[in-house]
Amino acid sequence: MNTLMDKVLDRLVPKATASADTSFYKYCGGCGYIEIFDAVGRLKRLCHVVGGTSSCGPCNTFDIGC
């Protein structure tokens, strides 16, 4: 009886996937003086991984210090 119910559940409920959606920062270059911010640091961009596909936005976030 359990095997019949297991087969029915397998048909009705999709299996879970192991891929996770996440976000992370990626540095755009080396450390240096950024005139716009009048400070020493690095520019970074926010990247996302959704469904196994990754993409990154523009380099518009500033991280002070090196």
Side-chain angles (χ1 to χ4, degrees), residues 17-26 45-57:
T17 59
S19 64
D21 299 342
T22 186
S23 299
F24 62 96
Y25 281 99
K26 184 176 182 180
R45 65 174 115 197
L46 183 61
C47 299
H48 304 283
V49 177
V50 178
T53 305
S54 63
S55 65
C56 296

Side-chain angles (χ1 to χ4, degrees), residues 22-39:
T22 186
S23 299
F24 62 96
Y25 281 99
K26 184 176 182 180
Y27 287 111
C28 299
C31 184
Y33 176 74
I34 307 295
E35 188 175 346
I36 298 170
F37 298 106
D38 192 29

Side-chain angles (χ1 to χ4, degrees), residues 32-34 37-44 60-65:
Y33 176 74
I34 307 295
F37 298 106
D38 192 29
V40 174
R42 295 190 269 188
L43 288 173
K44 60 184 178 180
N60 60 3
T61 305
F62 184 68
D63 196 10
I64 296 177

